[in-house]
Amino acid sequence: TQMQQASFAATSLQTQSDNLAAREQTLHDELQNLRDPQDLAARAQQAGMVIPQSSCTVRLAARTTENNCTPATPDNTPSLLPRPPKKPPVLDPHPIIVTVPPVPGSGTGSGTGSHHGHHGHRGHQHDTARG
């Protein structure tokens, strides 16, 4: 009985150890994702941070800057997303325009009466199906 209890305890501890190892791996992966420079830059931009055009020295006591620095703006900040690739000419051909001549008998004349009667009959079927 003691051996069975020890076996159950060992199995339970092994399961707990496996769960903790999996959790550690998940946390490690999340940490690596948070350290990714691209992700970090995206989060910084979402927080409103911008990239300056040049460095600037700020004198805190005098509340001045060297060389009359200009503030960084979102307009000066480069996009984090790369430009889409330019489509090669072979994949962007000129459109082909086809002009279809009118179908004979589609204008006014004797052929229109029988054609019109057919549409009238079909319209009647639709009305019946709705009612």
Side-chain angles (χ1 to χ4, degrees):
T1 304
Q2 287 180 340
M3 287 179 63
Q4 285 180 339
Q5 288 177 346
S7 175
F8 287 135
T11 302
S12 175
L13 290 173
Q14 183 63 44
T15 301
Q16 185 178 4
S17 173
D18 292 344
N19 289 340
L20 289 173
R23 178 70 180 141
E24 179 186 21
Q25 184 63 44
T26 301
L27 291 172
H28 180 266
D29 292 346
E30 287 178 14
L31 181 61
Q32 291 303 323
N33 288 337
L34 291 173
R35 288 181 176 167
D36 177 39
Q38 189 73 16
D39 184 63
L40 183 60
R43 285 186 284 126
Q45 250 184 10
Q46 288 172 354
M49 297 180 80
V50 293
I51 300 174
Q53 293 251 334
S54 61
S55 63
C56 183
T57 303
V58 178
R59 294 188 183 121
L60 296 177
R63 295 185 179 198
T64 60
T65 60
E66 266 185 22
N67 302 328
N68 297 325
C69 300
T70 58
T73 64
D75 297 332
N76 298 337
T77 301
S79 174
L80 294 175
L81 302 175
R83 291 182 182 166
K86 189 173 181 180
K87 193 182 287 189
V90 70
L91 296 178
D92 194 16
H94 293 291
I96 300 171
I97 300 172
V98 178
T99 305
V100 180
V103 178
S106 64
T108 59
S110 63
T112 306
S114 64
H115 188 70
H116 179 63
H118 181 69
H119 280 298
H121 180 65
R122 193 183 317 174
H124 179 67
Q125 285 177 340
H126 287 295
D127 291 340
T128 306
R130 288 182 195 159

